[in-house]
Amino acid sequence: MADSEVKEIQWTLHQTHPERVQEVRARLSEVIDPEIGMTIIQLGLIRDVEITADGIGHVKMILTTPFCPYGPAMIEMTKAKAVEGLNMPVNIEMGMDMWDFSMMEDPSALDWGMYA
């Protein structure tokens, strides 16, 4: 795969409810990391989305840094947008993965000179 190729992260939702993926991605793309100026989708911060057997949405996400000052607000906004996209209650799980540039869906952002 070329470095500039967009690689959409595959969630559990892609296999179980593919008809919901586009709407969820659209809503979650409205959440922007204010320090970086990119969406949580572009950054690859949403690691998984699924619907549990009891009909509750489950979103696993990470932050670019564990001490992100905007973290609490981004988590709340992510939850609100996931509820809109799934049209059901949603739980947010914070993953322990350490974010790095390879998690980005669109590495062409690196070509903008944003990161040295």
Side-chain angles (χ1 to χ4, degrees):
M1 169 168 60
D3 284 347
S4 62
E5 190 175 320
V6 175
K7 57 179 193 285
E8 182 178 311
I9 294 171
Q10 295 294 301
W11 304 321
T12 303
L13 196 66
H14 283 82
Q15 285 76 47
T16 61
H17 298 84
E19 72 283 357
R20 294 180 177 242
V21 171
Q22 185 176 0
E23 182 66 19
V24 172
R25 282 181 59 84
R27 293 294 150 256
L28 292 175
S29 290
E30 296 174 13
V31 182
I32 297 174
D33 183 313
E35 284 189 308
I36 299 175
M38 295 177 71
T39 73
I40 61 175
I41 293 294
Q42 290 171 311
L43 290 167
L45 300 182
I46 302 301
R47 306 311 298 161
D48 196 21
V49 178
E50 66 180 315
I51 297 174
T52 62
D54 55 355
I56 296 176
H58 184 83
V59 175
K60 182 178 179 182
M61 73 177 291
I62 60 172
L63 299 173
T64 54
T65 173
F67 304 108
C68 176
Y70 299 104
M74 285 176 49
I75 293 165
E76 285 303 310
M77 179 69 82
T78 298
K79 183 174 184 171
K81 292 299 178 178
V83 166
E84 286 179 22
L86 289 169
N87 196 28
M88 65 181 58
V90 172
N91 293 320
I92 302 288
E93 174 190 349
M94 294 306 298
M96 301 307 293
D97 311 1
M98 292 299 294
W99 181 84
D100 67 52
F101 297 118
S102 71
M103 294 178 173
M104 294 176 68
E105 285 200 345
D106 185 1
S108 66
L110 300 174
D111 299 335
W112 303 339
M114 289 179 61
Y115 308 101

